[in-house]
Amino acid sequence: MERFADEADVVIVGGGPAGLSAAIRLKQLANEQEKELRVCVVEKAPQIGAHTLSGACLEPGALFELFPDWKERGAPLNTPVTEDVFSIFTEKHRIPVPILPGLPMQNHGNYIVRLGNLVRWLGEQAEELGVELYPGYAAAEVLFHEDGSVKGIATNDVGIAKDGSPKDVFERGMELHAKITLFGEGCHGHLAKQLYKQFNLRENCEPQTYAIGLKELWMVDEKKWRPGRAEHSVGWPLDRHTYGGSFLYHLNEGEPLVALGFVIGLDYSNPYLSPFREFQRWKHHPFVASTLEGGQRIAYGARALNEGGFQCIPKLTFPGGLLIGCSPGFMNVPKIKGTHTAMKSGILAAEAIFPKVTAEDLDSQTAGLHVPEYSENLKKSSVWKELHAVRNIRPSFHNYFGLYGGMVYTGIFYWMLRGKEPWTLKHQGLDAHQLKPAKDCKPIEYPKPDGKISFDLLSSVALSGTNHEGDQPPHLTLKDDGVPVERNLAIYDGPEQRFCPAGVYEYVPVETGDGMRLQINAQNCVHCKTCDIKDPSQNINWVVPEGGGGPAYNGM
Amino acid sequence: MSGRVLVGVKRVIDYAVKIRVKPDNSGVVTDGVKHSMNPFCEIAVEEAVKLKEKKLIKEVVAVSCGPQQSQETIRTALAMGADRGIHVEVSGKDYETLGPLQVSKILAALAKKEDAQLIILGKQAIDDDCNQTGQMTAALLDWPQGTFASEVSMDGAQVKVVREIDGGLETIKINTPAVLTADLRLNTPRYATLPNIMKAKKKKIANVKPADLGVDLTSRLEVLRVDEPPQRQAGMKVETVEDLVEKLRDTGMV
């Protein structure tokens, strides 16, 4: 069955901060220079912003570049940071850590934002400029010209039943061809995964390392509300060898709303660790519980984030396309900020490709345009400088003293020398390979959720609003069906039951006879990508489900 | 016969989203929440498009009453195969108090204006569960109604409707013009695919104000309060039948 195909000048995969910044910049340039330019953005979320999840403390630099008049235009940056608090938690107490100016977690001049709302606003600005936005449509396949350059993307076929057969409502996906395709799928994109292999983009960088971030929104008692206050903690409940920490931001948007969450490095080694349950028990720390008591939880979600930084940036351009945003990964890990760099990368990409896509007679070696200027300009920009300066902070964590060694390193080398030390520390390799066998580790006794401050997994997943059309093939695919029980369960006690923040993976007894099987509850998936990252056998391959499915985050 | 079918489509909060009551108990939170076309309206659109594909009717017009965002809902109907759309602008306080009676008056006025042969609606909306608009519209127009339709077939100027009722299935034959409301098993709505969404951008959506149709939006109903359903209390396990009877007596149930 033939697929319908359409042509655009630029196709952008992913309607997040990077993709929308690129789209906006392209149309701003086109309108300035009175040139025609068809820019199409495909986004798997049902509406722009529905799959966006972040803390977030935003550095507004890149937004200023896109829209110097962002305030007048009503960008939802309503909460300047007024108080910055950093603590090391012990089980019952906290040790305050002074945030001296110059330390990465200092937030003066930044805004606490609900990133989903900012992304929605960016989407509105993009549409006004003439960008064609298509939320609810997932890019499932990369298309190639005969010469091997990228031709565009295709959306997935819809109306396929669970067993793979076509239903009555079966429809083929559509092909969107472009002179150049920008891939901004966010952390650990599934198309980017294919492109790394296809064009060997990772041959000169380290494998990416990640963390999982879980987040909740709470309506707190007005007496506990301190708008503009940004709190961060490290320490309890994690041991010094497990990287991670928390954030708690008091928003200032007219109601006592607090955004809080917990981040755990996915290079943890104990397969009995459950990021979700660490998050839930962290909330019981007296310093946190005092804010939440009497409040009501109104949202929940989770997403993987990059931790690799400078050492893990791949080759960014290839014939017919390039990578932007958290997909290649420009997050400043100690600052835990990646939005400003993602937006900047989108802007740089747009500025680099614009002259080439609008050139009257461009002499291109390949059918799909290759724009290495994007990468060259990025290397000369603030993004590169910033990432280079903090490159050693995360890897410095891997020492005998763990967290404390890392903090000492940050204090000496970053605060005093701003990352000018001549060496570059390495990460440990793939996160998936860091798990120790279950027999060498101790199971962790997690407290039961109390239903007031901490909650069970399923009621949390319900709050994410996630849903998928039930009768479709599960989008969490296994390369080898035998591996989960034979390897993951046998050696690692099935860590996917614990690291998935949505309860997708369950080991259940088989219906007849002895033994277990892996049950995949694909409908619960919140598209966080943790399973694809942390599966010790690297057997799980996350592919995109029918567009429009997934979480329904609102201002997360 | 004009061969024109009016289909009503309502923009509602998506069925999978967890609803939250506003802190002042005046309603539910809708700002930024994921909305989609009412599932029964999707079925209504699908039925209308199927009738057109069978060449039994000539034109499908999708109608929605609501704020600016209702246009997205109309676009989805256009992508499913409707020919053009009518957006009846209702926003602000008027939209908060918009209910089946006002919508029926609007649909009745449009049906006369457009010389509609059929009006197909969803049997109810999943936000208010009223199940009234179809019936009220038929009454205002003095047209026959075929509600809870699980099967629709046209026979000249008449429509045969199989209705889902408490006792089973009831088959009726009614004259057109008529109002039908779609029940779950009527059909499986098709996907609004990307090429069709792109084509839908070229189809026309007319903007109309209720006042232009001579409709007064004043509501005769006032919402006093909206509350969450009471929290489910945990149950209790008992060991023996004697314990059960004792507990039933203790709590005054027996």
Side-chain angles (χ1 to χ4, degrees):
Chain A
M1 220 172 151
E2 271 287 313
R3 276 191 290 214
F4 180 77
D6 202 1
E7 305 274 330
D9 291 298
V10 181
V11 164
I12 299 177
V13 177
L20 292 173
S21 298
I24 288 169
R25 195 79 194 100
L26 280 169
K27 281 307 255 183
Q28 284 176 336
L29 289 167
N31 294 344
E32 268 169 43
Q33 300 185 26
E34 288 175 357
K35 292 217 164 108
E36 293 278 321
L37 194 69
R38 187 176 184 205
V39 179
C40 294
V41 176
V42 284
E43 163 57 51
K44 62 176 164 59
Q47 48 195 51
I48 302 283
H51 286 186
T52 300
L53 184 141
S54 183
C57 266
L58 179 73
E59 279 187 26
L63 183 61
F64 260 115
E65 265 193 66
L66 269 187
F67 295 110
D69 58 345
W70 58 259
K71 224 190 193 122
E72 288 77 38
R73 282 172 180 261
L77 271 67
N78 304 309
T79 312
V81 177
T82 55
E83 244 191 297
D84 239 331
V85 175
F86 195 89
S87 323
I88 303 178
F89 277 6
T90 62
E91 190 172 344
K92 293 260 175 348
H93 304 284
R94 74 173 260 264
I95 306 165
V97 175
I99 304 181
L100 306 164
L103 277 177
M105 49 290 289
Q106 208 236 356
N107 275 305
H108 183 70
N110 298 335
Y111 290 83
I112 300 171
V113 294
R114 294 174 71 175
L115 191 59
N117 288 346
L118 179 60
V119 168
R120 191 170 47 156
W121 177 85
L122 284 172
E124 289 162 14
Q125 306 309 305
E127 278 204 304
E128 264 178 49
L129 287 165
V131 174
E132 288 177 53
L133 287 180
Y134 295 111
Y137 296 99
E141 198 189 320
V142 183
L143 304 169
F144 297 95
H145 288 286
E146 293 211 347
D147 64 4
S149 61
V150 170
K151 189 177 176 183
I153 53 98
T155 57
N156 37 17
D157 296 342
V158 291
I160 305 177
K162 245 196 172 115
D163 61 7
S165 61
K167 299 190 278 195
D168 285 332
V169 287
F170 174 80
E171 298 267 2
R172 283 234 70 188
M174 155 180 181
E175 295 190 11
L176 256 183
H177 302 162
K179 295 182 183 149
I180 186 164
T181 308
L182 276 55
F183 293 86
E185 298 170 284
C187 176
H188 204 75
H190 76 108
L191 292 183
K193 203 175 162 188
Q194 292 172 32
L195 292 166
Y196 293 147
K197 275 213 208 85
Q198 182 81 13
F199 293 104
N200 219 354
L201 302 172
R202 301 201 74 96
E203 59 184 341
N204 292 321
C205 66
E206 287 188 45
Q208 184 66 263
T209 67
Y210 301 88
I212 179 175
L214 301 107
K215 176 181 172 179
E216 288 175 356
L217 278 180
W218 279 68
M219 202 63 94
V220 297
D221 185 338
E222 279 219 32
K223 294 188 228 77
K224 318 274 175 93
W225 182 39
R226 297 159 78 164
R229 182 176 162 98
E231 294 175 21
H232 293 102
S233 82
V234 290
W236 188 85
L238 300 178
D239 64 36
R240 69 177 194 269
H241 290 296
T242 305
Y243 186 84
S246 75
F247 65 89
L248 195 150
Y249 303 143
H250 293 248
L251 287 151
N252 190 3
E253 298 188 348
E255 37 178 19
L257 204 58
V258 166
L260 61 144
F262 206 76
V263 174
I264 301 188
L266 285 176
D267 57 347
Y268 68 81
S269 55
N270 186 344
Y272 290 109
L273 191 141
S274 161
F276 174 78
R277 301 195 80 171
E278 296 290 350
F279 174 38
Q280 296 302 316
R281 79 163 157 176
W282 163 79
K283 287 188 279 173
H284 282 287
H285 188 278
F287 196 61
V288 184
S290 56
T291 304
L292 300 181
E293 255 142 31
Q296 197 202 6
R297 182 177 72 154
I298 63 171
Y300 164 84
R303 184 72 170 91
L305 44 136
N306 305 297
E307 294 259 305
F310 189 80
Q311 295 89 322
C312 302
I313 301 176
K315 187 158 178 287
L316 298 168
T317 66
F318 42 91
L322 48 86
L323 301 166
I324 54 176
C326 277
S327 179
F330 302 118
M331 197 172 101
N332 182 324
V333 178
K335 277 195 204 174
I336 41 168
K337 293 181 175 64
T339 309
H340 63 304
T341 46
M343 289 175 72
K344 181 71 178 167
S345 72
I347 296 171
L348 288 171
E351 290 172 348
I353 71 179
F354 184 77
K356 288 197 165 173
V357 289
T358 52
E360 293 288 312
D361 28 32
L362 184 71
D363 191 18
S364 173
Q365 300 239 319
T366 47
L369 291 180
H370 190 193
V371 187
E373 289 83 348
Y374 158 60
S375 191
E376 289 155 22
N377 294 347
L378 193 78
K379 294 198 173 121
K380 298 188 205 131
S381 74
S382 56
V383 174
W384 210 254
K385 263 206 281 295
E386 186 179 336
L387 293 180
H388 185 261
V390 298
R391 72 195 182 286
N392 285 325
I393 296 183
R394 175 67 171 93
S396 74
F397 185 83
H398 300 302
N399 62 77
Y400 179 73
F401 295 103
L403 166 70
Y404 306 107
M407 291 181 76
V408 167
Y409 186 95
T410 306
I412 299 173
F413 291 101
Y414 182 75
W415 190 57
M416 291 203 266
L417 297 179
R418 290 287 184 276
K420 291 201 179 60
E421 66 270 31
W423 56 83
T424 298
L425 299 175
K426 289 177 88 100
H427 295 290
Q428 291 182 296
L430 270 188
D431 289 331
H433 295 160
Q434 305 308 319
L435 276 182
K436 293 206 186 93
K439 63 173 170 53
D440 296 335
C441 300
K442 244 179 47 157
I444 304 178
E445 274 289 318
Y446 288 107
K448 274 181 89 127
D450 73 346
K452 295 204 199 63
I453 301 218
S454 52
F455 301 90
D456 64 298
L457 185 59
L458 289 180
S459 68
S460 308
V461 176
L463 273 185
S464 70
T466 195
N467 194 28
H468 296 85
E469 161 61 49
D471 193 13
Q472 68 173 304
H475 63 279
L476 300 137
T477 63
L478 301 173
K479 291 190 204 147
D480 180 332
D481 283 328
V483 165
V485 171
E486 287 160 27
R487 202 162 176 270
N488 288 21
L489 186 61
I491 305 177
Y492 303 100
D493 198 50
E496 55 269 62
Q497 320 173 73
R498 300 186 190 90
F499 62 55
C500 173
V504 170
Y505 300 99
E506 279 182 296
Y507 280 96
V508 295
V510 291
E511 276 81 23
T512 48
D514 287 322
M516 307 285 265
R517 65 176 179 87
L518 178 63
Q519 177 162 288
I520 300 181
N521 306 313
Q523 269 185 286
N524 287 9
C525 182
V526 292
H527 298 205
C528 76
K529 314 292 176 71
T530 301
C531 55
D532 196 308
I533 295 166
K534 189 58 174 171
D535 176 1
S537 313
Q538 287 290 276
N539 189 38
I540 299 173
N541 192 32
W542 190 99
V543 301
V544 73
E546 282 181 11
Y553 297 141
N554 181 9
M556 281 290 261
Chain B
M1 279 276 107
S2 71
R4 190 168 296 126
V5 174
L6 239 55
V7 181
V9 293
K10 187 178 182 188
R11 179 176 179 263
V12 297
I13 295 182
D14 185 85
Y15 74 90
V17 167
K18 203 119 208 295
I19 305 288
R20 192 162 64 90
V21 175
K22 284 191 189 153
D24 63 0
N25 295 95
S26 63
V28 299
V29 176
T30 54
D31 195 33
V33 174
K34 177 182 172 189
H35 282 67
S36 28
M37 190 190 289
N38 182 37
F40 295 107
C41 298
E42 287 182 339
I43 298 174
V45 173
E46 176 64 25
E47 198 59 23
V49 174
K50 275 200 163 69
L51 288 174
K52 191 176 90 155
E53 285 170 346
K54 291 187 199 146
K55 300 218 174 17
L56 296 167
I57 56 127
K58 296 208 200 83
E59 193 188 22
V60 179
V61 182
V63 180
S64 193
C65 306
Q68 184 68 8
Q69 296 99 316
S70 295
Q71 297 206 4
E72 289 163 23
T73 314
I74 300 175
R75 287 256 176 254
T76 307
L78 294 173
M80 286 171 72
D83 297 289
R84 58 185 168 88
I86 299 176
H87 173 214
V88 181
E89 285 178 49
V90 181
S91 50
K93 211 80 207 56
D94 282 336
Y95 183 59
E96 283 171 34
T97 56
L98 188 70
L101 184 56
Q102 298 100 313
V103 175
S104 312
K105 289 179 181 171
I106 291 171
L107 290 176
L110 280 173
K112 290 201 191 109
K113 192 158 172 266
E114 296 283 340
D115 190 25
Q117 182 179 343
L118 270 183
I119 299 177
I120 310 184
L121 307 173
K123 69 170 179 181
Q124 66 198 58
I126 60 168
D127 51 6
D128 56 18
D129 275 347
C130 280
N131 190 341
Q132 296 165 9
T133 307
Q135 294 86 333
M136 285 180 172
T137 310
L140 288 170
L141 289 165
D142 197 25
W143 286 7
Q145 55 183 264
T147 53
F148 309 101
S150 67
E151 224 185 284
V152 167
S153 46
M154 294 195 68
D155 184 10
Q158 292 192 307
V159 183
K160 191 168 93 173
V161 181
V162 178
R163 306 179 57 232
E164 298 210 18
I165 60 173
D166 285 347
L169 296 173
E170 178 193 59
T171 307
I172 60 171
K173 208 177 217 177
I174 54 179
N175 294 323
T176 56
V179 175
L180 307 176
T181 71
D183 206 325
L184 194 63
R185 276 161 280 270
L186 181 57
N187 60 49
T188 306
R190 67 195 63 192
Y191 286 88
T193 59
L194 185 55
N196 288 334
I197 284 275
M198 289 178 169
K199 286 185 200 142
K201 295 211 163 160
K202 302 197 182 89
K203 294 185 181 174
K204 280 199 153 48
I205 300 182
N207 282 316
V208 176
K209 292 202 177 51
D212 298 340
L213 299 168
V215 173
D216 173 19
L217 289 178
T218 332
S219 177
R220 294 162 196 212
L221 303 174
E222 186 195 335
V223 172
L224 298 175
R225 216 190 135 80
V226 177
D227 283 299
E228 289 213 3
Q231 285 277 1
R232 266 191 83 178
Q233 296 300 324
M236 232 189 307
K237 271 192 173 160
V238 291
E239 297 291 309
T240 66
V241 175
E242 286 78 19
D243 282 344
L244 176 61
V245 174
E246 198 189 310
K247 286 266 175 336
L248 287 172
R249 285 219 185 94
D250 283 345
T251 54
M253 293 200 207
V254 165

